[in-house]
């Protein structure tokens, strides 16, 4: 099955600034696809090209198999919700939602019914006759969503629509958005730089970095199998340990940490050879801490002696900040149930280890 929305090799330059390059992405019908990435990484530029507000320097976009970029923006039938200030301040809530239907010269009866249906969808039926200034920020954004969906666009584009709201309101509308997405089945392209928001909302996430997409996948795929150090640091927390590779092949990597401690892991990356500097990535919850004992053999090969710097009780988990022999601070997160028998205290020497298969190896960034 071909994708519903196909973004193909988009490039956009402003004089000598390359805003995006080689951006390609297939989006399925009804999918909730999120663009996640730091400021300036090209998320909005990609979205605006799909919306028709900007023209790419190269590349093309297909919607349902048909070229989209030759269609004028107002004929694209694509809904759009921005970060803020999107409602017409001099129109009531109801008239704001009706606006795109009036532009399309729909009959009055149809407009009235549609406005009612849309306001019900965003749970704002009782606010129909109010002015936007009489609504909270979150309510205003819900009206903007209702307006964008009023004419049943096949695609809804949203550029950081919740970033101006406080945390509680943001989480409330995230739930609303999930429900609206499920009820309408609309295909959504959503921009955020908040990883938690991306994980909560998306079917898949495209991670942007410096004008390119570094990886596309479900939250679980990106977390469990990041393609780069950048993706690993952007989704969830990670420890990055510097390692000099001594052997890399046959599904195994051997190396030494800066203090000479030798390790082995199942991590493997074809771009690294003996003598290269690499980075081992291990998630905090994949590390275990125990009282220091003479570790040897396999255990020493996937572990490290450390000094405990801090211990924090987090309810369901314990967090340990520990220093490696080369004075790098790393994080360990363990279920709180392990606490009582550990005998681990601040300032004590301890041993941290992990499973060889839970390690990822990247070229040093
Ligand atoms: N009109 C413009 N003229 C010159 N450079 C621009 C213009 N618009 C965007 N850029 C540059 O293109 C790059 C990508 O910008 P874009 O707005 O797509 O980033 P973004 O990922 O949406 O960032 P943010 O999270 O801050 O909104 C940035 O380096 C930006 O400075
Ligand atoms: Mg942006």
């Amino acid at each position: 099955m071909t994708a519903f929305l196909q973004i193909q090799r988009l490039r956009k330059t402003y004089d000598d600034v390359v805003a995006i390059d080689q951006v390609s992405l297939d989006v399925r019908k009804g999918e909730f696809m999120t663009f996640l990435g730091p400021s300036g990484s090209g998320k909005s530029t990609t979205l605006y090209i799909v919306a028709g507000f900007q023209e790419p320097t190269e590349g093309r976009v297909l919607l349902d198999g048909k070229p989209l970029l030759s269609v004028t923006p107002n004929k694209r039938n694509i809904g759009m919700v921005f970060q803020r200030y999107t409602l017409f301040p001099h129109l009531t809530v109801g008239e704001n939602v009706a606006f795109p239907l009036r532009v399309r010269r729909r009959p009055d009866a149809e407009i009235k019914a549609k406005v009612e249906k849309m306001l019900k969808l965003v749970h704002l039926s009782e606010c129909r006759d109010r002015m936007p200034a009489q609504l909270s920020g979150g309510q205003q954004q819900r009206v903007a969503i209702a307006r964008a969906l009023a004419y049943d666009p096949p695609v809804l584009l949203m550029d950081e629509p919740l970033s101006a709201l406080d945390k509680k309101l943001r989480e409330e509308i995230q739930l609303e958005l999930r429900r609206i997405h499920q009820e309408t089945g609309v295909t959504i392209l959503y921009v955020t730089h908040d990883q938690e928001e991306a994980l909560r909302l998306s079917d898949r996430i495209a991670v942007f970095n410096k004008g390119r997409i570094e990886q596309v996948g479900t939250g679980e795929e990106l977390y469990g199998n990041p393609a780069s150090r950048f993706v690993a640091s952007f989704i969830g927390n990670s420890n990055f340990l510097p390692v000099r590779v001594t052997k890399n092949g046959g599904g195994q990597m051997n190396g030494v940490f800066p203090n000479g401690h030798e390790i082995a892991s199942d991590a493997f990356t074809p771009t690294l050879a003996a003598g290269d500097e690499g980075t081992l990535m291990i998630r905090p919850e994949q590390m275990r801490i125990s009282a220091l004992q003479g570790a040897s053999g396999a255990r020493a090969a996937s572990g490290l002696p450390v000094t405990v710097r801090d211990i924090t009780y987090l309810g369901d988990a314990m967090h340990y900040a520990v220093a490696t022999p080369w004075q790098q601070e790393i994080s360990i997160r363990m279920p709180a149930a392990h606490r009582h028998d550990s005998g681990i205290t601040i300032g004590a020497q301890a041993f941290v280890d992990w499973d060889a298969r839970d390690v990822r190896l990247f070229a040093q960034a």
Side-chain angles (χ1 to χ4, degrees), residues 232-300:
S233 62
F234 219 78
I235 310 256
N237 298 311
S238 294
N239 294 304
F240 296 106
L241 303 173
V243 65
R244 187 165 43 77
V245 176
T246 52
K247 181 172 165 274
N248 184 31
Q252 244 224 343
M253 188 281 283
N254 295 78
V256 287
F257 285 136
N259 65 329
H261 185 99
E262 288 183 22
I263 50 120
S265 87
D266 297 356
F268 172 73
T269 189
T271 58
L272 287 176
D276 286 345
E277 300 293 331
T279 303
L280 277 191
M281 182 210 92
I282 314 170
R283 299 281 186 192
E285 70 276 14
Q286 286 164 339
M287 287 182 151
R288 297 173 294 260
I289 187 166
S290 52
L292 188 63
Q293 41 191 263
S296 60
R299 203 160 165 248

Side-chain angles (χ1 to χ4, degrees), residues 43-45 48 159-160 191:
K43 308 179 297 293
S44 297
T45 302
Y48 293 164
D159 193 0
E160 310 227 18
V191 170

Side-chain angles (χ1 to χ4, degrees), residues 21 29 41 62 67 92 131 139 143 167 172 184 188 190 196 224 232 249 261 282 290 293 297 301-302 305 316 330 333:
D21 193 24
K29 195 172 173 68
S41 58
L62 304 179
T92 63
M131 302 307 281
Q139 288 170 330
V143 176
K167 188 168 153 55
E172 216 175 281
T184 60
I188 297 182
Y190 189 95
E196 247 180 66
H261 185 99
I282 314 170
S290 52
Q293 41 191 263
S302 53
D316 58 338
I330 59 176
R333 193 184 167 98

Side-chain angles (χ1 to χ4, degrees), residues 34-333:
T34 296
F35 296 174
L36 177 69
S39 185
S41 58
K43 308 179 297 293
S44 297
T45 302
T46 305
L47 206 68
Y48 293 164
I49 290 171
V50 175
F53 301 150
Q54 281 177 6
E55 270 186 44
T57 313
E58 285 169 36
R60 59 179 199 160
V61 180
L62 304 179
L63 182 63
D64 222 357
K66 293 184 274 295
L68 185 67
L69 300 182
S70 49
V71 181
T72 53
N74 58 351
K75 295 246 159 63
R76 285 190 195 186
N77 267 352
I78 286 177
M80 183 93 202
V81 178
F82 297 94
Q83 184 175 352
R84 59 167 96 200
Y85 306 127
T86 54
L87 299 183
F88 302 115
H90 57 289
L91 296 181
T92 63
V93 164
E95 280 307 313
N96 263 282
V97 177
F99 186 83
L101 300 165
R102 294 212 187 286
V103 170
R104 287 168 177 77
R105 302 188 188 287
R106 293 288 183 39
D108 280 350
E110 184 196 321
I111 293 179
K112 189 162 177 290
K114 198 70 199 217
V115 168
E116 256 166 50
K117 187 175 165 210
M118 286 297 122
L119 288 178
K120 199 165 165 216
L121 180 72
V122 297
H123 294 164
L124 283 177
S125 299
E126 71 285 6
C127 298
R128 193 191 64 200
D129 298 322
R130 286 204 220 165
M131 302 307 281
Q134 296 169 308
L135 301 178
S136 74
Q139 288 170 330
Q140 290 186 33
Q141 275 314 49
R142 274 147 65 195
V143 176
I145 293 166
R147 185 180 60 184
L149 289 173
Y151 56 93
D152 296 317
V155 180
L156 179 62
L157 308 180
M158 308 181 90
D159 193 0
E160 310 227 18
L162 311 184
S163 62
L165 309 177
D166 66 46
K167 188 168 153 55
K168 189 166 172 292
L169 210 48
R170 206 159 63 224
E171 286 175 2
E172 216 175 281
I173 304 195
Q174 284 166 2
L175 287 176
E176 292 277 294
L177 258 181
R178 275 179 67 105
R179 179 183 59 78
I180 290 167
H181 175 242
Q182 280 159 9
E183 280 180 23
T184 60
V186 65
T187 306
I188 297 182
L189 291 192
Y190 189 95
V191 170
T192 183
H193 53 246
D194 177 346
Q195 57 141 323
E196 247 180 66
E197 181 165 293
L199 291 171
R200 201 170 285 164
L201 292 174
S202 324
D203 294 318
R204 283 191 302 158
I205 300 169
V207 182
F208 278 69
N209 185 24
K210 296 183 182 148
R212 290 170 180 258
I213 294 179
E214 283 219 14
Q215 192 172 3
V216 185
T218 64
E220 221 173 328
E221 284 163 357
L222 298 178
Y223 188 86
N225 239 331
S228 65
R229 180 179 169 147
F230 177 83
V231 173
S233 62
F234 219 78
I235 310 256
N237 298 311
S238 294
N239 294 304
F240 296 106
L241 303 173
V243 65
R244 187 165 43 77
V245 176
T246 52
K247 181 172 165 274
N248 184 31
Q252 244 224 343
M253 188 281 283
N254 295 78
V256 287
F257 285 136
N259 65 329
H261 185 99
E262 288 183 22
I263 50 120
S265 87
D266 297 356
F268 172 73
T269 189
T271 58
L272 287 176
D276 286 345
E277 300 293 331
T279 303
L280 277 191
M281 182 210 92
I282 314 170
R283 299 281 186 192
E285 70 276 14
Q286 286 164 339
M287 287 182 151
R288 297 173 294 260
I289 187 166
S290 52
L292 188 63
Q293 41 191 263
S296 60
R299 203 160 165 248
S302 53
L304 260 182
V306 295
T307 308
V308 180
R309 289 226 178 121
D310 201 8
I311 305 174
T312 317
Y313 175 64
L314 299 171
D316 58 338
M318 297 295 296
H319 178 263
Y320 301 88
V322 305
T324 64
W326 58 95
Q327 302 305 317
Q328 177 185 351
E329 193 161 287
I330 59 176
S331 291
I332 298 144
R333 193 184 167 98

Side-chain angles (χ1 to χ4, degrees), residues 11-20:
R11 176 179 168 87
K12 174 75 178 172
T13 55
Y14 298 96
D15 299 324
D16 46 3
V17 178
V18 181
I20 57 169

